[in-house]
Amino acid sequence: MAGTATENQWLKGRVKAVTSGDCLVVTALTHSRAGPPPEKTITLSSLIAPKLARRGGIDEPFAWESREFLRKLCIGKEVTFKVDYKVEAIAGREFGSVYLGNENLAKLVVQNGWAKVREAGQQNQDKVSPYISELLQLEELAKQEGLGRWTKVPGAAEASVRNLPPSAVGDSGNFDAMGLLAASKGKPMEAIVEQVRDGSTIRVYLLPEFQFVQVFVAGLQAPSMGRRSTQETVVETDVASAPNGDASAEPRGPLTSAQRLAASAVSSVEVSSDPFAMEAKYFTELRVLNRDVRIVLEGVDKFNNLIGSVYYSVGEEVKDLGLELVENGLAKYVEWSANMMEEEAKKKLKAAELQCKKNRVKMWANYVPPASNSKAIHDQNFTGKVVEVVSGDCLVVADDSIPFGSPMAERRVCLSSIRSPKMGNPRREEKPAPYAREAREFLRQRLIGKQVIVQMEYSRKISPADGVTTSGAGDRVMDFGSVFLPSPSKGDTAEAAAATPGVNVAELIIARGFGTVVRHRDFEERSNHYESLLAAEARAIAGKKGIQSAKESPVTHVADLTVSSAKKAKDFLPSLHRSRRISAVVEYVLSGHRFKLYIPKETCSIAFAFSGVRCPGRGEPYSEDAIAFMRRKIMQRDVEIEVETVDRTGTFLGSMWESRTNAATFLLEAGLAKMQTGFGSDRIQEAHLLELAERSAKNQKLKIWENYVEGEEVENGSSKVETRNKETLKVVVTEVLGGGRFYVQTVGDQKVASIQNQLASLSLKDAPIVGSFNPKKGDIVLAQFSLDNSWNRAMIVNAPRGAVQSPDDKFEVFYIDYGNQETVPYSAVRPIDPSVSSAPGLAQLCRLAYIKVPSLEEDFGPEAGEYLHTVTLGSGKEFKAVVEERDTSGGKVKGQGTGTELAVTLIAVDDEISVNAAMLQEGIARMEKRKKWEHKDKQAALDALEKFQDEARKSRTGIWQYGDIQSDDEDSAPVRKPGRV
C-alpha cells in the first residue's frame, strides 16, 4: 500500500501510532509479502501541534493534551487517507488528509483547539491542505470560544506543561527500581506505551507521574532486533519534533552522557536481526503501542531493569501480551524471569510454548525436539484389583480382562509424573528413605484388594545409569499411568461416572506430602492430570506436610529375621509364643504356603509357613498358580497368626487367618495344596476344616487332583494293592533312558494341547543369518527333530564357544516336551517367542518304583533298556502311573533335564501286572533293599513284588543266572565288628 502510494490517491489503513497532536503512523490493512505490512507516517496537512518534550527538555504548552486528543480519537482504528504533498527538505516528510469514517481528523483537531493552522507561505503556496479555508474558519471559532490551546483561563498554559522526572532509560541512576517494586509488587499500574524496542521490550510512561521506564515482559524473550552502527543507534530522526513543513528545523542538541556511554559500549559493526524479530515487534506494536496498558511488576534484574506482565484491553476483554506472544510462536519461555511470576501464569506460558513447539509455529518451524526415553501409551485403560503396593509410586494391579493364572494378568503400574521416597533393599543393606514406609502404608491401607480404574499414559526406558534398576540389570521399560479409586455418589449416572473416574491416587500421595511432582522436560510425556498434581504439591508445601515439612520422618528399626540366621529366629520364638494370636501384615508371598510377614507389635519381619499344608514346589505343576492365587488372596492384607514352632531354616510354622478365615483353606479348596498328615493333625489348628477343604477339591478333581481316582485298586504283581489317596496319572511314554528311567506326557492335559496349538500356529521363516541369532547354553529355542522334521521346543545343552560361524555349527538340544536329546545344526534352530517358551516343559521324568534297574554300562543294562523301550514306547499304549514317591533331587544326570523325579508303578491299560513286576519276573531288575520300618502300603507293595523276584531267582533268569548277586554298596548292611574275647 504505502510503498506505492502517490499524491491525491485515497488509501485505507489502520492507525498504529500517534506520535504528536498532528502526526500518525498508518499501516496497510492487507499485504502480500512476508513480514509486517508496509506503513506510512502522515502529518496532517497545514497543522502545527504543540511539540512534546524531548529527553531532558520540557513540553510546549498543551502538547500532551493535543497528542492525547488525537491518540484517543483514532489509535487502532481504520482510516482513509491521501498524501497531499511532500517536503523533501525535511527527509521527504509526507503531509496528508486523514478521514476517520466521515470525519476529517484535521478539522476535528483544529475545531477543538489542539493545533494551529499554518497559512501557505510565499515560497510554498502549493504545500497546503486542500481544506485550508475551512481549517482557518474552524481555528477562528476555537479561538473565540477559548477551546484547547486557546483557553482564556489564567495559568492554564503553564499547568498543561508536564513535570517530567528524569528518564530511567539509559541511565538507571535516575530511578529507584527496587523502591518502585516494593511499593507496587503485584499491583496493576496504569501506563502508556511510547516505544516498542522489540517484541518483549517496551518503553512506557507510568501514570500519573510520567516516569519514563523500560519494561521487559516477564517470562519470555522475543527474537532480537539486532544492532545498527553506533551513529544509527544513538542519533535518531525525531520526525515529530520538526515544525510542520518548516525546512529550517532546529538541529538536535549534543549527546547526553548516557548516550555517549551507550555509544562507546556499542560496536560499530551492524548485527542483523533474528528471524521473526520484525514480526514479533509489529505484533506488539499493533496491540500496545500508544495504548493504555496495565503493568504488574514481577521483579527487577541485576541491571535494575523492570520485569513485569503487560495487560491491554480489547473491548471488555483483558489480554496478556506475553502469553499472546508465546502462543503465536513469537517469543520463547525464559525460566529465570518466569520464576518471578505466579505459578499459574508461569504454567500457562510453559504450556503455550510446548504447544507451539509441537505445532512448529513461527520461530519453532524448524524445531527438533530432544531425544526422549518416554513414549505415549494410547487406549490402554483397564480395571482391576490392587494386588500389591510396591512403594508410594508403584502398584501391581490384576487386570480383570486377563484370565487368572496368565503371566500377563498382573500389571506393574508406576504412577505418572510423581516420585516417592525409595523403599531400599535389605539384602543390599539399603535402608528405606525418609517417609518411604509411611507412603507405602498409606496406599496399602486404602488400596490393597480394592477395585481401581487404570489409565495408562506413557512408558519410559530405564537404564542402569538412571540408578533405579537392580545391580547388573540392563535397560528395561516401565509403564506409567494414573490410577483412580472409584467414588460413586448417589444419583450419579453411568456417563457421569465415566467422565469422573474417581480419586486420583497420585494426587492423594502428593497432597499428603509423601511424594514430589516430576519436573518433565519439553516433549517428555507426562500425566494427563499434571496440573492437578502441581496444585496438590503446592497445597502440601503450604501445609508443610510429610517430606515438605522440616520434620524428620519417624525412625522405625525393623528386625528382618528372613535375612538373619536360624538361631536368631529360634531366639525370637518365645516372644511370639507369649501372645496367642498376633496381628501381622503379609509383605510378600514367597511360595504358595510360605510368606514374609511384618509384625508391627514386635517391629520384625519373619518367614512364615502353614503347618501341615504344602503346595507344589518351584518348577512343579501349579506352583506358579498357587503363588498367583495367594497374592490375590492375602498379599499385603492384615492377618492374624498363631506360631507353633520354627524349623531348621528359621521359618516359623503355624496357622493364619485373614478376615477370620483360615488362609490355608483357600489353597486346599482351590486344589493347590495338600495336607501333610505326617505333621500330626492334632497339632494343626482347625485341622477338620482343612480336611474338608481338601476333600472338596478332590471330589471336584481340581488342579493337583485332576487325575485323582477315589479308592482305585492297582495290580502291583499278582495281588491287588489298594491305592487310596495316591495320585494316579494317565500317561504315554515319550522317551526311555537307562536305569529304569523314562519320560512321560500326561494324557488329556490341556497344557499339552495348548502348547501343540501354539507351535502349529507359528510361521517359521528361513534359517537365521549367521551371527544374528546366537543361542547359548540354557536358552529355550525351536529345534527341528531329525526323524520327522517337526519343530519342537528345546533347551540348548551344549553350544559352540563364541558366536556362530557357520550354518553347520552343531548344537546339542534337549526336547523339553518329550525328554529326548540330539545334536542338530544351526540351520535347524530358530528363536522362539517368550509367550511360547515361558510354559514349563511337558515331559515328566519318572522311574520304576521299588526296583533297581541296571544302568546301560552294567551287565544286563542294555537288555533292561531294550525291554522297557519295547513294552512302553514301542507298544504305543497308554499307561496309568501311580505316584509312590517324589524325588526332588532327580533330573541332574546329563540328558535328563531338571525337576522332580516321580517314582511310579506303571501299568498298561490292558495288562494284568505292572511293568515293575514284569521286569523283576524277566530277571532284568531287582528289588530295593527293605528298611526296618516301612509304611504298611509300601510293605504290601514290596511283598507283592518280591514274589516275581523269587520266581526269576529260582529259574536263574537274567541277572540271577549265576545265583544270588552281591548287593550294591548303598544296599549293603554295615559289617558287624567282632566282639572281644
Side-chain angles (χ1 to χ4, degrees):
M1 169 208 72
T4 59
T6 58
E7 295 181 19
N8 300 319
Q9 180 181 358
W10 288 99
L11 300 170
K12 289 187 177 182
R14 188 177 306 279
V15 179
K16 185 183 83 170
V18 177
T19 59
S20 67
D22 60 359
C23 187
L24 313 91
V25 179
V26 184
T27 63
L29 296 178
T30 60
H31 68 292
S32 57
R33 68 182 186 182
E39 61 184 45
K40 186 177 284 291
T41 300
I42 300 293
T43 303
L44 298 179
S45 299
S46 299
L47 295 191
I48 302 175
K51 292 187 291 184
L52 289 168
R54 297 169 57 192
R55 182 177 299 218
I58 60 173
D59 292 340
E60 290 184 356
F62 302 104
W64 179 254
E65 289 83 352
S66 174
R67 202 285 295 265
E68 285 296 276
F69 173 81
L70 186 58
R71 182 184 72 85
K72 292 178 179 179
L73 186 64
C74 63
I75 190 70
K77 295 180 181 179
E78 187 176 328
V79 295
T80 304
F81 70 97
K82 70 171 180 136
V83 176
D84 296 328
Y85 56 90
K86 291 183 181 180
V87 177
E88 299 297 340
I90 46 177
R93 184 187 300 183
E94 297 177 313
F95 297 81
S97 301
V98 182
Y99 275 81
L100 177 65
N102 295 322
E103 299 285 347
N104 186 320
L105 287 183
K107 292 181 181 180
L108 291 174
V109 170
V110 173
Q111 180 180 332
N112 287 275
W114 297 119
K116 63 182 179 180
V117 180
R118 179 180 60 82
E119 297 185 30
Q122 294 181 353
Q123 297 179 351
N124 297 314
Q125 293 186 1
D126 57 335
K127 308 292 186 181
V128 294
S129 168
Y131 310 100
I132 184 66
S133 59
E134 296 175 60
L135 292 175
L136 290 171
Q137 293 175 9
L138 292 171
E139 180 184 42
E140 191 61 33
L141 289 174
K143 288 179 180 179
Q144 293 175 6
E145 296 178 12
L147 299 178
R149 65 180 299 170
W150 311 116
T151 181
K152 300 173 182 178
V153 177
E158 292 77 7
S160 69
V161 178
R162 295 176 297 166
N163 183 19
L164 296 176
S167 171
V169 177
D171 192 353
S172 59
N174 297 328
F175 178 57
D176 182 11
M178 290 302 297
L180 179 63
L181 176 66
S184 307
K185 171 73 173 175
K187 300 176 183 177
M189 297 187 299
E190 300 296 329
I192 296 176
V193 179
E194 291 298 309
Q195 296 178 27
V196 175
R197 300 288 293 172
D198 58 46
S200 58
T201 308
I202 57 176
R203 293 177 176 178
V204 303
Y205 277 125
L206 297 178
L207 302 179
E209 289 83 7
F210 291 100
Q211 177 69 63
F212 192 58
V213 297
Q214 183 165 276
V215 177
F216 295 94
V217 182
L220 58 103
Q221 181 179 337
S224 170
M225 287 296 295
R227 190 169 58 217
R228 294 176 293 177
S229 62
T230 304
Q231 287 80 6
E232 290 178 344
T233 302
V234 178
V235 182
E236 298 177 353
T237 303
D238 188 353
V239 297
S241 63
N244 197 333
D246 190 352
S248 60
E250 295 181 4
R252 284 184 180 271
L255 297 179
T256 65
S257 59
Q259 289 173 323
R260 286 195 297 270
L261 183 62
S264 64
V266 176
S267 169
S268 60
V269 179
E270 184 173 342
V271 178
S272 60
S273 62
D274 292 339
F276 296 99
M278 291 295 298
E279 192 170 344
K281 182 183 179 186
Y282 175 74
F283 183 93
T284 299
E285 287 176 335
L286 196 61
R287 284 155 178 78
V288 300
L289 182 59
N290 288 159
R291 311 286 184 104
D292 296 304
V293 297
R294 279 179 290 173
I295 296 176
V296 177
L297 291 184
E298 309 287 0
V300 175
D301 68 9
K302 62 183 179 180
F303 301 109
N304 226 26
N305 293 313
L306 293 176
I307 297 168
S309 299
V310 180
Y311 300 93
Y312 68 98
S313 299
V314 178
E316 298 296 323
E317 185 180 2
V318 177
K319 294 196 174 185
D320 183 346
L321 175 64
L323 182 59
E324 284 202 308
L325 280 166
V326 175
E327 284 178 337
N328 285 274
L330 293 172
K332 64 180 180 180
Y333 175 83
V334 178
E335 187 76 31
W336 68 268
S337 66
N339 288 335
M340 302 176 183
M341 305 170 67
E342 294 289 335
E343 192 63 31
E344 188 65 26
K346 178 180 173 181
K347 287 189 291 186
K348 286 182 179 180
L349 285 179
K350 186 69 175 173
E353 183 191 59
L354 183 61
Q355 192 61 43
C356 282
K357 288 178 177 179
K358 288 181 179 179
N359 297 336
R360 306 288 198 277
V361 178
K362 300 290 175 65
M363 64 182 291
W364 305 111
N366 299 316
Y367 177 75
V368 178
S372 173
N373 59 355
S374 62
K375 183 180 180 181
I377 298 177
H378 302 288
D379 303 323
Q380 283 197 27
N381 300 341
F382 67 95
T383 60
K385 185 175 290 185
V386 177
V387 175
E388 180 183 359
V389 177
V390 181
S391 63
D393 57 9
C394 185
L395 309 173
V396 177
V397 182
D399 192 339
D400 291 337
S401 64
I402 300 178
F404 172 75
S406 169
M408 302 297 293
E410 292 187 2
R411 299 186 62 174
R412 193 181 187 95
V413 181
C414 300
L415 299 179
S416 297
S417 298
I418 73 167
R419 184 176 292 118
S420 283
K422 295 182 180 179
M423 285 301 301
N425 189 327
R427 296 189 180 276
R428 295 203 299 269
E429 298 183 354
E430 295 177 0
K431 294 183 179 181
Y435 292 100
R437 287 184 179 276
E438 289 82 352
R440 186 176 69 172
E441 182 64 13
F442 175 78
L443 288 188
R444 185 191 73 82
Q445 292 181 357
R446 286 158 178 78
L447 297 182
I448 204 69
K450 300 290 182 65
Q451 198 74 9
V452 295
I453 300 168
V454 182
Q455 297 177 354
M456 301 307 297
E457 292 166 333
Y458 62 92
S459 62
R460 183 183 172 203
K461 183 179 288 187
I462 306 295
S463 63
D466 295 322
V468 294
T469 58
T470 56
S471 179
D475 290 358
R476 63 190 178 103
V477 175
M478 298 173 66
D479 292 336
F480 293 80
S482 293
V483 178
F484 298 89
L485 190 62
S487 55
S489 302
K490 292 183 179 180
D492 280 355
T493 63
E495 292 78 6
T500 55
V503 179
N504 188 341
V505 173
E507 193 172 341
L508 282 178
I509 280 285
I510 295 298
R512 288 298 184 102
F514 291 141
T516 56
V517 180
V518 176
R519 265 51 183 184
H520 293 283
R521 295 176 296 174
D522 289 347
F523 283 84
E524 196 170 59
E525 299 296 335
R526 63 195 68 198
S527 170
N528 295 333
H529 310 275
Y530 193 71
E531 303 302 325
S532 299
L533 296 179
L534 290 173
E537 185 179 49
R539 294 196 300 271
I541 293 172
K544 297 182 179 180
K545 295 184 178 181
I547 60 177
Q548 309 294 356
S549 68
K551 300 178 183 177
E552 294 187 1
S553 65
V555 178
T556 304
H557 297 287
V558 178
D560 193 348
L561 300 183
T562 63
V563 295
S564 303
S565 64
K567 182 181 182 303
K568 188 172 181 180
K570 290 178 181 178
D571 294 341
F572 215 83
L573 183 61
S575 63
L576 298 180
H577 271 158
R578 279 194 288 270
S579 302
R580 180 171 176 79
R581 285 200 180 184
I582 307 168
S583 297
V585 178
V586 180
E587 284 196 324
Y588 198 75
V589 177
L590 302 170
S591 69
H593 62 268
R594 190 167 177 267
F595 318 98
K596 182 179 180 181
L597 306 182
Y598 171 64
I599 304 176
K601 183 179 178 181
E602 304 292 340
T603 61
C604 70
S605 295
I606 66 170
F608 178 89
F610 293 136
S611 295
V613 177
R614 288 296 176 268
C615 295
R618 293 279 184 180
E620 295 182 7
Y622 301 112
S623 65
E624 296 299 325
D625 293 36
I627 293 173
F629 180 78
M630 292 307 284
R631 279 176 61 82
R632 295 209 184 185
K633 284 290 184 181
I634 66 171
M635 181 69 179
Q636 291 188 331
R637 308 289 180 94
D638 293 310
V639 297
E640 290 183 319
I641 61 170
E642 281 190 20
V643 175
E644 297 165 10
T645 186
V646 61
D647 66 13
R648 62 182 181 179
T649 66
T651 299
F652 293 87
L653 304 178
S655 300
M656 177 193 295
W657 290 266
E658 195 275 325
S659 299
R660 299 185 179 181
T661 302
N662 193 316
T665 61
F666 301 150
L667 284 167
L668 293 167
E669 286 177 345
L672 292 170
K674 293 181 180 181
M675 287 193 66
Q676 289 186 321
T677 55
F679 188 81
S681 60
D682 58 321
R683 295 169 55 191
I684 303 175
Q685 292 278 346
E686 302 177 343
H688 63 290
L689 295 178
L690 303 184
E691 290 171 354
L692 287 174
E694 184 183 54
R695 174 59 53 189
S696 173
K698 286 180 178 178
N699 292 339
Q700 299 177 64
K701 295 188 176 182
L702 300 177
K703 304 295 182 180
I704 64 175
W705 306 110
E706 60 186 349
N707 297 309
Y708 171 73
V709 180
E710 178 71 24
E712 182 174 338
E713 294 180 347
V714 177
E715 287 192 10
N716 199 350
S718 59
S719 65
K720 293 184 178 180
V721 179
E722 189 175 6
T723 62
R724 183 180 300 275
N725 294 334
K726 289 185 180 179
E727 184 180 359
T728 302
L729 306 174
K730 191 174 183 181
V731 300
V732 291
V733 178
T734 57
E735 179 68 358
V736 175
L737 309 173
R741 284 175 167 78
F742 53 94
Y743 278 97
V744 300
Q745 268 189 9
T746 305
V747 177
D749 189 347
Q750 293 182 352
K751 293 182 180 179
V752 176
S754 175
I755 292 296
Q756 289 175 344
N757 291 336
Q758 284 180 302
L759 293 175
S761 65
L762 293 177
S763 177
L764 298 175
K765 301 178 181 179
D766 296 334
I769 300 172
V770 173
S772 64
F773 169 54
N774 293 293
K776 57 184 181 297
K777 187 175 180 179
D779 286 354
I780 303 298
V781 298
L782 280 178
Q784 191 173 32
F785 186 45
S786 59
L787 293 183
D788 60 4
N789 292 328
S790 62
W791 291 91
N792 302 282
R793 299 191 302 164
M795 177 190 291
I796 302 294
V797 177
N798 278 314
R801 291 186 178 181
V804 177
Q805 302 294 329
S806 165
D808 297 325
D809 284 1
K810 302 299 182 184
F811 289 81
E812 192 174 356
V813 297
F814 170 73
Y815 295 100
I816 63 175
D817 295 326
Y818 297 94
N820 52 330
Q821 187 166 324
E822 69 171 345
T823 300
V824 298
Y826 176 72
S827 58
V829 178
R830 299 286 190 278
I832 188 172
D833 190 89
S835 63
V836 181
S837 65
S838 60
L842 303 177
Q844 173 63 56
L845 179 63
C846 300
R847 63 176 169 84
L848 295 173
Y850 307 143
I851 68 173
K852 294 183 70 65
V853 181
S855 67
L856 296 176
E857 291 78 18
E858 297 174 329
D859 290 342
F860 291 97
E863 290 84 349
E866 184 177 353
Y867 178 84
L868 184 57
H869 184 280
T870 301
V871 300
T872 57
L873 192 60
S875 67
K877 295 180 180 180
E878 292 183 358
F879 294 83
K880 285 188 290 186
V882 181
V883 180
E884 310 289 356
E885 297 174 359
R886 290 178 179 268
D887 183 1
T888 57
S889 65
K892 303 299 182 183
V893 181
K894 176 185 175 182
Q896 295 181 8
T898 59
T900 301
E901 182 181 84
L902 303 181
V904 300
T905 298
L906 194 65
I907 313 103
V909 176
D910 56 353
D911 282 353
E912 295 182 358
I913 65 172
S914 66
V915 174
N916 311 49
M919 294 193 71
L920 291 173
Q921 191 177 42
E922 292 293 328
I924 50 178
R926 61 187 176 87
M927 291 181 60
E928 292 178 346
K929 184 175 178 64
R930 288 178 183 252
K931 297 178 181 178
K932 187 174 183 180
W933 302 104
E934 297 284 9
H935 192 275
K936 63 179 182 178
D937 289 345
K938 185 173 182 179
Q939 287 180 359
L942 292 174
D943 289 343
L945 290 173
E946 193 165 14
K947 298 176 182 178
F948 293 92
Q949 179 171 280
D950 289 343
E951 181 182 339
R953 183 189 292 115
K954 290 176 183 177
S955 62
R956 301 288 180 103
T957 303
I959 60 177
W960 309 105
Q961 61 181 334
Y962 299 114
D964 284 353
I965 60 174
Q966 186 179 1
S967 297
D968 292 339
D969 293 339
E970 66 268 20
D971 289 339
S972 61
V975 178
R976 176 181 293 178
K977 295 182 180 180
R980 293 182 179 178
V981 179

